[in-house]
Each structure stands twice: as C-alpha cells, then as structure tokens.
C-alpha cells in the first residue's frame, strides 16, 4: 500500500478506507495540511482530500454553497466574492501562525471549526455548516443534513463532525450557508484602556443596539506587532460596525459618544478596518518566526479573559490579545510547560478551555493539546468515536 | 386520524409491574412528584400532535436534576422506557407517551437561575418557558432570539429537544445557534455538563448533537442560552400580492439582493382569511398571498432597507404595501401570524407539515402541495417562514371522519416527500417525532440511518429514551 493516499473520488476514498480498516492501518487525515500542528502529533499514512476538488452547487439566491472537501478556500472565497457573498464566520488563514505552507481547504476549515472575529454574532463554522458527506471508519459513505437553512431531521452528525479534526470521519463534501458581504464597515476605537477597563467597555458596547460585529482588545504589549492601520498609539479597544452605508454611519454616530465615557474615541474606515480585523483573525502578531514559542488559544466567558491574563502575568512571561469581547484569548508564552498553570487558573475563573495550538514537538508530546474532559463527557466522547471509527484508524490520538 | 403510524407494543412485563414501579418511584421521590391516577394522567396522553394518544405508565414531575437522575437510574436498572416532556406542544408527537414508559415532565423546573449581562447569557432550568426568558431580560434591553409560535407555553428543554426555530431565526438562527451549554442526565443517571459560558466547547460537539435529538440522548435539566441586545426599533410591513408566485419570487429577489430582513413570513389566501377572522390584524383580504417582512435597527436603517424591499416588491406586482404606524399595529400584525395554528384549529382539525426547501423551489413546492391536497379532496392553508424555505402547509380535515383523516395523513406524507425530492428535508423545526418517523428512509439511506442510530446507542445503549420516535421501528440495529 502507498504511504500517501490521495483519493480522486469519494468512492476511491471509501475503498481505501475500507482496506485500511481491514488492515487496522492508521491514517493521518488532512486537507492542505496547514493546521497539522493543532492537537497531538499523528502517526499514520498520510491521507488527503486535496484531490476532491470543485464547487458542486452554488446558487447565490439560495445562500448556500456545496463543494468537495479538498476545494481550496481561496477558490471558494473568490467565487463568493464575485457574487457579493461570503462565509459569515470569517474563516482564518492560519499559515503564518503555524509557519506552514500549502493550500487551506474547505474541508479542513470545517474539520477544525475555524471561526474568526464575527463568531459571536454570526456563529462558528459549525453554525454555517448545513450538510456533509463523509466516509466513516468502516469505509461507508454517510450523508447528514442537507442544503437548507433549517433542518432537524434526525441526529445532527454535521455538528459532531465539525471540529472533530478528522478523528470521526473523512469529509468528502460540505454544504454551508453564505451571507451577503456587508456593503461597508467602520471600526470605533477606544484608546488607553487597560485589559479590565476594555472588558467593561466591550461588554457595554455589545449591550447597545448598535449591532457590533467585532470586539477586540489589543493591549499595549502587542500593539507594535500589528500594522499601524490608522490606529492611534497605545492600547486599542476595537468595535466593528458593518452594514449598508446609512446604517453604519448611523450606528457609528451613536456608538462614539456612548464610548467616550471609557476613553479617547476615534474611528477607522473601510480599508484600515478590514486590514486590522484580518490581522486579528489570522493572529499575525504571533506568527511563527522560527522560535516556535508555545501559542495557546483560550475560549472562556468574555469577562474571564482579562482576569486569566492578569493572573498569568504575575507568574510567567506571556503576551496576549483578546477577540470575541474577551472570550477568545490568544497567548504566546515564553516558557514551555505551563499547561497545568493555565488550566488551573481557567478553572478557577469559571471554566472554558485552553488549547495548545503551536509548540515544539517535544512540548507537544508532553502536553494534552486539548483541554482534558471531565470523566462522564470523556467516556461519552470515546463511545461516540467508537461508533464512527471502531478500529480507531482516523487520526489516532490527535484530540488526546 | 387513521392511526397508520405504529407505536411500539408495550412490554407486558413492565405493565404487570406497574404498581411496584409506582410504589418504588414514590418511595425515593418527594411527595407529589409521582402522578398515577387515570384522571391525572389524562392530560399527558398526547401533545400538539393530537391525532395520536397513549396513556403513560406513570408521570413524574421532578423539581431538581438530582431527582431526574434518580428516576433515570431506577429506569435504567429495571429497563423501563422514559419519555421526557416539556409543555407538550410538540407538533410531531415528540412528547406522546407510551403505555410502558415513565414520563419525566420538567414543567416544575421553571426557574431562571442566573442572568449574566456582561457575558450576555442566562442559565435556566429546562422547564422555563421560551417567552419567560425574554420577559426576564426585556427591561434591561435584551432578548432570547428563537421564537416558536408556541413560545408562551413551550419550554426551553423542549426547544432544545426539537432545535426549535421561529419567525425571527432568519437573522438570529435557531436554538442550536443560541445555546451555549446544558446540564443533562444520561440514561443511567449520570449527570454531565456540556459547554458553558464560553462560545466554543472543547472536544467533540456533543452539545450540537444533543440539540435536536428529540429527548433520545438524555434529559436536559438546565441550559445556558445566549442573550442578544434588542434592536433600536422593529418594523413589520405587510405586502399583498396577486399571485403566490409573485410573493415567492419577491422573497428570492430580496435575499439575492443581499437584504436579509429579520423575518419574512408567507401566508396564502386561506391562511390570510383564517388569521384575519381571528386576530383582526388588518390583513388585506383581496390578495392571493401576503408577506410579512420585518426589518430592524434605527429609523434610518429601517427606512433604507424598506425602501429597497418595496422596490423589489413592486417589480413582482405587489398590490398592497402596509407599513404600520405604531407598536400596537406591529404587535397586531404578529398576533395574526403567531395565532395561525390556533386560529386554524378553530375552524377545522389540521396537521401541520414542516418541510424545508431551497428558496428556488418555493413556487414549485407550493404548486405541488396544492395539487396533492386537491387530489385527496382536502383544503390547505399555507403559512410559513419563507426567508429560510421552512414551509408549513396546514392540511385541514375532520378528525372524526376516519377516511378524511387517512387522506390527510397520506397527503401530508406526499408533501414531505415532495420537499425532500426538491432538495429539502422532512422537518425544519418541529422535529421527526412519530409523525415523520417512517418517512426517514425517504431522506436517508440505510447506512445514513444506521450511523445515526449507532451514535444514538453511544448515549442510550438499551434504547430506553423516547424509543418510539425519530427512527423507523423496522431495521433498528
């Protein structure tokens, strides 16, 4: 048998997986391999979806698109842009962060449930995913969901496969919801806030009727790692407004005076605004520069993010910024084995999960990359895995 | 109703132990928690899918997660089936009991446990009604987005079971998009928590599969849901069209133009007449189809959006455009729409279909529906969420006429098959329940269904939870 599998069709993939299952041969599933560093390292024969390529159905007025799993994200984004549409969950390009090359695929995007700054308004990748086809660990082709917006017909295997990092099935085709690209955008900037003040300002802004679609805080220590993008100096708290021109102007005009009680307020428009949110989305300040410093992604209650960082700063070298109103913290650490400390503080602050996104192989080998689960949930997850991949051939160990 | 849908034959061994089971439950549960007299059981024998009814073995009304866990542990030990129940408003028979099952009704678990504005979420018990959440946070400028028509009565636990939607989910999504976490009791009494106040949970998306699982994976006792800041203003507008085709084409063009209103609701002539007679909402009676389009935001935003929508409507021969002038008028417009099912129930018995189709298929499916219903010699009223293709034909019939009931059921099945064949699905927001259970094979292949059932078995290996629902009784693995 070959060491690299590149099925050309779904039927090919099913046949190859059937054989692998029979032989109990582990497969390292990927698309473009740009996020291979997420999770534990996988030993197994490389098995890629990259030759399953092409948009199979797209009717802009239905707001859904269907594509084979190995279709490059860029190809889909270009097609959507031609029709004034987009993936609302704002998919990130993680190549700089991971120091990888290759072509991100649409299957990989959903398999890792990769979502950007708009996540707290428009949902995660999993919320946009409407239907899938996949090959399970027995080599059977399974479909779930469909191409309609609302569907509660049977168990939602779509959600289960999203974010399962190729450990439950080999995605062959995805159907997802798309939305019109906002006509314009602007970002209201509050300058000079510390992390705790920023958390309060962001929470207040999101409690207004201004429909903020991005809420991030860039502490002083990371500001220089972002582009200038028309921002004033000092720590910046960013609140994005999107929509038609009249509506953006109107909401910016309401938000600006409201935020003056927290700090100095200014505004950046279209081009600068798009660029800064792209940098936040792609985590460019913590791009891999050869040193492979550990990078953590923390998902927690928005009000807990800054408390976590404050606690960690007293104990270790850490640089970080906040997205999702503070509920998503990207942290680059100076030291290596700090998983236990991070997770202990997180637990004390009401829970959430800390995921090791990037680290040297030796560090990755010693740390559970994904937050260890409570016993009952872990048992259930293992039981679910056994029902989809009974021989354990898909990405063994990747999720711990 | 014809009673064509088979329910599982009750297990005589369980029936014969009924007295013992009741005594055992009463022994470890607080007084007043176990309901077993025929008079008290009667209200639990059916739900919103009234064509079918079964008396439960016994009903329990727990007040805590621990009590639910104790019931589940007992039932797992003695292999007694369990049917979870919220307010019993299911339109697909999701809460209909069975003679050998213990009903676990969560209506007494109706407390809002925590409202957390900085993190924009609320933690509530499963028996809280959908509307109670919005009411609790309304004064502070927030709301809970999914708004099924039954929101006054239906519980959040039931909403999670059916992944409920509503008119406004075009913009805000359905239950699964607004649910952050649950506490649930597994079949054997184990209590687990999934998700929490963070947006993403770790590991497999078990929360995603629990939502919409129709009470087959466990009993949800608490939920953490997202709260959203209320828009500055909301304005529904009525558009009357001379043809259904014109209204459908208008919907497609509005979406294609990149305008996503909060809601686009469709009513055909029979539905307009029924709702107007009931609610006096001021709906035009001289049109064939009506759209209720709601936009929200500041005055400037709403004006801009409505202007664009009205331009599109004019291209499709809109006959009446009625912008409401006050909050009272707006409320009345929604009252008409939300009382559609109730108002229909006053003039006839009905079954409500819930197929969802791609937007481009709206016109075709409406035409097909009319043909099918006419062929069976019945009447239909269409009232549905057009913006997301979620259709609700109401097939009118007389429940006391067995032949008519059979025809209504058969017509409904044909309509759902038509939806699937048009690229859609059997149910958008009501769930499969027993109603659509035997049509699942039309939408899914055997391997698809086997895979779903295998995953189900990971949660409930003995098939004790709501076992007669969702999956065809034949061919269960």
């Amino acid at each position: 048998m070959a060491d690299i599998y590149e099925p050309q069709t779904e039927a090919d993939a099913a046949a190859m997986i059937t054989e692998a299952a029979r032989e109990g041969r582990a497969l390292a599933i990927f698309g473009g391999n740009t996020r291979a560093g997420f999770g534990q390292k996988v030993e197994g024969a490389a098995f890629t979806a990259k030759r399953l390529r092409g948009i199979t159905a797209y009717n802009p007025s239905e707001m859904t698109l269907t594509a084979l799993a190995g279709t490059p994200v860029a190809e889909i984004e270009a097609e959507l842009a031609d029709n004034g549409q987009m993936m609302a969950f704002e998919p990130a390009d993680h190549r700089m962060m991971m120091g990888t090359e290759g072509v991100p695929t649409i299957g990989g995007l959903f398999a890792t449930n990769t979502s950007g700054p708009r996540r707290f308004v428009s949902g995660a990748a999993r919320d946009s995913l409407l239907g899938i086809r996949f090959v399970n660990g027995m080599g059977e082709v399974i479909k779930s969901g469909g191409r309609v917006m609302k569907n509660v017909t049977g168990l939602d295997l779509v959600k289960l496969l999203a974010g399962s990092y190729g450990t439950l099935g080999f995605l062959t085709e995805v159907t997802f919801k798309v939305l019109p690209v906002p006509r314009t955008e602007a970002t209201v900037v509050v300058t000079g806030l510390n992390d705790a003040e920023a958390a309060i300002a962001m929470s207040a802004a999101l409690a207004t009727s201004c429909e903020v679609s991005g809420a991030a805080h860039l502490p002083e220590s990371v500001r220089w790692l972002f582009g200038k993008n028309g921002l004033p100096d000092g720590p910046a708290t960013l609140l994005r407004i999107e929509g038609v021109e009249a509506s953006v102007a109107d909401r910016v005009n309401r938000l600006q005076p409201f935020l003056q009680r927290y700090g100095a307020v200014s505004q950046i428009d279209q081009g600068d605004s798009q660029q800064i949110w792209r940098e936040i989305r792609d985590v460019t300040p913590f791009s891999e520069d050869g040193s492979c410093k550990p990078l953590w992604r923390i998902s927690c209650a928005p009000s807990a993010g800054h408390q976590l960082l404050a606690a960690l700063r007293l104990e270790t070298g850490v640089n970080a910024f906040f997205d999702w109103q503070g509920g998503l913290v990207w942290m680059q650490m100076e030291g290596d084995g700090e998983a236990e400390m991070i997770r202990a503080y997180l637990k004390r602050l009401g829970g959430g999960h800390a995921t090791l996104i990037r680290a040297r192989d030796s560090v990755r080998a010693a740390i559970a990359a994904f937050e260890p689960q409570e016993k009952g949930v872990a048992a259930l997850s293992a039981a679910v895995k056994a029902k989809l991949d009974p021989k354990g051939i898909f990405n063994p160990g990747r999720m711990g | 109703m014809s009673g064509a849908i088979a329910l599982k034959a009750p297990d005589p061994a369980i029936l014969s132990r009924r007295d013992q089971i009741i005594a055992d439950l009463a022994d470890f549960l607080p007084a007043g928690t176990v309901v077993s007299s025929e008079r008290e059981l009667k209200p639990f024998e059916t739900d919103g899918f009234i064509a079918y009814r079964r008396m439960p073995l016994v009903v329990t009304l727990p007040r805590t997660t621990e009590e639910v866990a104790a019931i589940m542990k007992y039932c797992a030990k003695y292999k007694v089936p369990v049917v979870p129940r919220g307010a019993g408003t299911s339109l697909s028979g999701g809460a209909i009991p069975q003679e050998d099952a213990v009903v676990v009704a969560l209506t007494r678990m109706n407390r809002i446990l925590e409202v957390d504005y900085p993190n924009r979420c609320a933690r509530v018990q499963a028996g809280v009604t959908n509307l109670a959440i919005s009411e609790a946070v309304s004064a502070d400028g927030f709301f809970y987005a999914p708004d099924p028509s039954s929101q006054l009565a239906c519980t959040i636990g039931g909403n999670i079971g059916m992944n409920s939607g509503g008119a406004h989910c075009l913009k805000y999504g359905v239950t699964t998009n607004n649910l952050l976490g649950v506490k649930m009791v597994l079949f054997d009494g184990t209590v687990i928590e999934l998700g929490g106040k963070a947006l993403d949970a770790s590991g497999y998306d078990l929360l995603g599969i629990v939502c919409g699982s129709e009470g087959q994976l466990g009993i949800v006792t608490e939920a953490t849901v997202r709260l959203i800041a209320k828009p500055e203003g909301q304005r529904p507008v009525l558009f009357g069209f001379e043809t259904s085709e014109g209204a459908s084409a208008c919907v497609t063009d509005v979406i294609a133009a990149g305008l996503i209103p909060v809601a686009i609701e469709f009513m055909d002539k029979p539905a307009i007449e029924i709702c107007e007679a009931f609610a006096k909402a001021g709906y035009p009676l001289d049109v064939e189809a009506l759209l209720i389009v709601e936009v929200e935001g500041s005055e400037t935003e709403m004006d801009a959006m409505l202007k664009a929508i009205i331009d599109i409507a004019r291209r499709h021969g809109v006959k009446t455009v009625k912008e409401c002038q006050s909050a009272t008028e707006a409320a009345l417009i929604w009252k008409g729409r939300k009382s559609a099912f109730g108002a229909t129930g006053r003039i006839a018995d009905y079954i409500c279909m819930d197929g969802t189709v791609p937007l481009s298929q709206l016109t075709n499916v409406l035409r097909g529906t009319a043909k099918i219903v006419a062929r069976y010699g019945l009447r239909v009223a269409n009232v549905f969420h057009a913006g997301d293709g979620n259709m609700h034909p109401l097939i009118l019939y007389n429940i006391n006429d067995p032949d008519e009931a059979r025809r209504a059921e058969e017509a409904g099945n044909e309509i759902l098959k038509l939806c699937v064949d048009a690229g859609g699905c059997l149910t958008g927001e009501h769930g499969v329940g027993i109603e659509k259970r035997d049509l699942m094979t039309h939408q899914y292949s055997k391997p698809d269904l086997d895979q779903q059932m295998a995953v189900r078995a990971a949660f409930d290996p003995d098939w004790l939870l709501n076992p007669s629902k969702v999956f065809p009784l034949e061919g269960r693995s």
Side-chain angles (χ1 to χ4, degrees), chain B residues 30-286:
Chain B
T33 308
V34 179
V35 167
S36 58
S37 77
E38 190 171 343
R39 182 182 56 82
E40 290 172 307
L41 292 180
K42 189 83 180 154
F44 295 91
E45 68 174 353
T46 187
D47 57 15
F49 188 55
I50 53 163
Y52 289 81
R53 50 193 69 216
R54 289 288 184 279
M55 286 292 263
L57 187 72
V58 54
V59 171
T60 56
L61 298 162
R63 285 192 164 87
T64 65
T65 300
E66 291 68 31
E67 288 171 17
V68 175
I71 298 165
M72 299 294 273
K73 202 170 166 188
Y74 175 85
C75 290
K77 186 174 173 190
Y78 296 101
K79 304 258 189 279
V80 181
V82 170
V83 175
R85 184 179 178 104
T89 57
S90 172
L91 291 166
S92 61
I96 290 180
Q98 51 190 66
E99 292 97 328
D100 58 358
V102 173
V103 168
V104 179
L106 291 136
T107 39
R108 282 184 183 166
M109 292 186 68
N110 59 358
R111 283 169 51 217
I112 292 177
L113 301 169
E114 183 192 0
V115 172
D116 180 351
Y117 291 129
N119 293 311
R120 283 171 302 117
C121 61
R123 204 159 55 83
V124 303
Q125 289 186 319
V128 164
T129 63
N130 173 292
L131 194 59
I133 302 175
S134 286
E135 281 177 346
V137 297
S138 176
D140 296 304
F142 290 88
F143 71 110
Y144 172 66
D147 62 336
S149 295
S150 56
Q151 67 185 146
L152 195 61
C154 65
T155 65
I156 193 73
N159 289 179
I160 293 167
M162 294 308 190
N163 191 17
S164 302
H168 291 82
C169 50
L170 181 56
K171 176 170 176 183
Y172 294 110
V174 293
T175 304
T176 191
N177 313 115
N178 289 279
L179 182 66
L180 289 170
V182 294
K183 181 185 271 191
M184 68 187 277
V185 182
L186 302 179
F187 82 103
D188 62 354
T190 310
V191 178
I192 60 164
E193 292 193 36
L194 301 173
K197 290 183 181 179
L199 281 176
D200 287 344
S202 68
Y204 295 143
D205 192 353
L206 299 180
L207 183 63
I209 195 156
V210 163
C211 193
S213 63
E214 308 202 16
Q216 302 221 337
L217 304 188
I219 297 191
V220 171
T221 56
E222 280 179 30
T224 304
V225 298
R226 301 183 61 184
L227 300 176
I228 296 174
K230 281 200 274 191
E232 197 181 359
Q234 288 159 307
R235 211 189 293 164
V237 178
L238 294 178
F239 295 87
F241 290 84
E242 287 186 354
T243 62
S244 282
E245 284 79 2
S248 304
C250 179
V251 172
T252 316
D253 282 3
V254 166
I255 301 285
L259 301 160
I260 313 289
V262 201
I264 308 182
E265 298 290 298
F266 181 108
M267 291 172 143
D268 66 2
K269 196 173 180 74
I272 300 169
E273 283 167 358
I274 291 167
C275 293
E276 180 60 17
F278 177 77
K280 310 277 185 298
Y283 295 166
L285 293 169
D286 59 343

Side-chain angles (χ1 to χ4, degrees), chain B residues 142-432:
Chain B
F142 290 88
F143 71 110
Y144 172 66
D147 62 336
S149 295
S150 56
Q151 67 185 146
L152 195 61
C154 65
T155 65
I156 193 73
N159 289 179
I160 293 167
M162 294 308 190
N163 191 17
S164 302
H168 291 82
C169 50
L170 181 56
K171 176 170 176 183
Y172 294 110
V174 293
T175 304
T176 191
N177 313 115
N178 289 279
L179 182 66
L180 289 170
V182 294
K183 181 185 271 191
M184 68 187 277
V185 182
L186 302 179
F187 82 103
D188 62 354
T190 310
V191 178
I192 60 164
E193 292 193 36
L194 301 173
K197 290 183 181 179
L199 281 176
D200 287 344
S202 68
Y204 295 143
D205 192 353
L206 299 180
L207 183 63
I209 195 156
V210 163
C211 193
S213 63
E214 308 202 16
Q216 302 221 337
L217 304 188
I219 297 191
V220 171
T221 56
E222 280 179 30
T224 304
V225 298
R226 301 183 61 184
L227 300 176
I228 296 174
K230 281 200 274 191
E232 197 181 359
Q234 288 159 307
R235 211 189 293 164
V237 178
L238 294 178
F239 295 87
F241 290 84
E242 287 186 354
T243 62
S244 282
E245 284 79 2
S248 304
C250 179
V251 172
T252 316
D253 282 3
V254 166
I255 301 285
L259 301 160
I260 313 289
V262 201
I264 308 182
E265 298 290 298
F266 181 108
M267 291 172 143
D268 66 2
K269 196 173 180 74
I272 300 169
E273 283 167 358
I274 291 167
C275 293
E276 180 60 17
F278 177 77
K280 310 277 185 298
Y283 295 166
L285 293 169
D286 59 343
V287 296
E288 285 300 313
L290 185 69
L291 294 179
I292 303 172
V293 179
E294 181 159 283
V295 296
E296 61 180 28
S298 67
E299 290 297 319
T300 327
E301 284 177 85
M302 292 193 291
D303 286 345
M305 193 144 182
L306 277 177
K307 188 180 169 302
I309 294 170
I310 290 170
D311 285 347
I312 292 170
R314 294 214 191 286
R315 292 208 297 274
H316 294 286
V318 70
K319 196 171 163 187
T320 322
V321 177
K322 190 175 167 195
E323 294 190 50
C324 57
Q325 307 300 325
S326 67
T328 321
E329 251 183 50
L332 209 51
I333 285 179
W334 278 114
K335 187 186 170 204
R337 164 62 186 91
K338 292 210 170 184
S339 57
F341 295 176
T344 306
R346 297 194 333 155
I347 63 157
D349 301 303
Y350 67 87
I351 45 174
C352 173
M353 302 287 108
D354 181 40
T356 303
V357 300
L359 285 182
S360 62
Q361 296 296 318
L362 279 181
T363 304
N364 283 342
V365 174
L366 275 174
R367 274 197 208 126
T369 298
K371 272 188 206 155
I372 291 167
V373 175
R375 184 149 44 76
Y376 282 96
L378 296 166
R379 287 181 302 150
V380 64
N382 282 287
V383 42
F384 61 94
H385 315 304
D388 41 32
N390 188 190
M391 312 193 70
H392 292 320
L394 302 170
I395 304 171
L396 311 182
Y397 73 104
N398 176 0
I399 202 166
N400 297 316
D401 177 342
D403 179 60
E404 202 166 280
R406 178 193 53 79
R407 281 184 279 136
E409 198 167 300
E410 285 178 20
N413 289 350
E414 274 198 44
I415 292 170
L416 290 181
K417 286 180 179 172
L418 172 70
C419 291
V420 172
D421 297 342
C425 66
L426 295 172
T427 171
E429 58 183 5
H430 295 171
V432 176

Side-chain angles (χ1 to χ4, degrees), chain A residues 15 27 56 61 63 65 96 139 150 162 167 193 230 244 326 335 338 344:
Chain A
L27 302 176
T56 37
S61 69
M63 297 199 296
L65 188 147
M96 286 206 290
K150 279 160 93 179
T167 62
L193 306 187
V244 296
E338 287 159 323

